[in-house]
Amino acid sequence: MVFPGVEHYVPAAVQQVLGQRLAGRSPGDLRTQTEECLKFLIIASECVPMFIPLTREADEVWHELILQTHFYAELCRALPGGAFIHHQTVEIEDYAAGPANPNLFDEYMFWIPAYISRFGDFTEERARYWNVVRYLRDKHGLTLAAINAAGRVPC
């Protein structure tokens, strides 16, 4: 799947609200953050919910989209899974120590092929907004090239 662009999912009026509410960001950064947030929502719409792999900046875009309640409900219906995507704020440390005791490496590795199979390789610019990439780099020493290669291996 090629990402069809922000305009496909987010009307100009909502993009304007994002620009006003997140005014401290450059238009280029905000657009990339919005695109990566939408890519996350596309993947999440088709899968069992897992820990959110977005950075704070992209998650804040999601928060702003949710506040536009009518638009957000329509957006969720327009995504491949067609169901409302709920948001819950949980810190990674709390999630990892929770009752499910998830294996973060395995859970995060789910997102890599899910992303790459739909949208192509992570670039440095886009990887900045995915905690999953940061985690794999910082905690496991993987390069972006290795992460992208892992994402191209069929499951």
Side-chain angles (χ1 to χ4, degrees):
M1 165 184 198
V2 174
F3 183 71
V6 170
E7 294 75 18
H8 180 79
Y9 293 104
V10 184
V14 175
Q15 290 182 51
Q16 185 176 8
V17 169
L18 287 175
Q20 292 167 350
R21 302 266 308 177
L22 302 170
R25 302 172 191 204
S26 76
D29 284 347
L30 181 56
R31 181 172 184 83
T32 302
Q33 292 160 9
T34 304
E35 288 173 357
E36 297 311 298
C37 175
L38 290 167
K39 289 175 183 178
F40 159 74
L41 291 171
I42 289 167
I43 295 168
S45 79
E46 298 178 311
C47 304
V48 173
M50 294 183 178
F51 189 71
I52 309 307
L54 297 173
T55 61
R56 179 187 51 78
E57 296 87 357
D59 188 51
E60 288 171 352
V61 170
W62 188 14
H63 292 187
E64 294 301 327
L65 294 177
I66 291 169
L67 291 175
Q68 310 308 311
T69 58
H70 182 73
F71 157 75
Y72 184 71
E74 287 182 359
L75 170 65
C76 288
R77 281 191 294 275
L79 296 172
F84 192 86
I85 301 170
H86 294 275
H87 185 286
Q88 179 179 358
T89 301
V90 134
E91 296 297 325
I92 191 166
E93 296 81 14
D94 296 331
Y95 179 74
N101 195 19
N103 179 322
L104 283 182
F105 181 81
D106 290 345
E107 196 163 307
Y108 266 3
M109 282 306 292
F110 159 83
W111 290 99
I112 302 303
Y115 182 100
I116 291 172
S117 68
R118 289 168 179 83
F119 310 115
D121 286 357
F122 282 99
T123 64
E124 286 293 342
E125 176 187 26
R126 296 186 179 286
R128 292 187 310 157
Y129 301 111
W130 286 82
N131 278 330
V132 59
V133 174
R134 185 176 297 157
Y135 172 83
L136 293 171
R137 285 174 145 178
D138 295 350
K139 299 284 186 196
H140 297 281
L142 297 176
T143 65
L144 189 58
I147 293 167
N148 283 326
R152 290 189 294 271
V153 175
C155 298

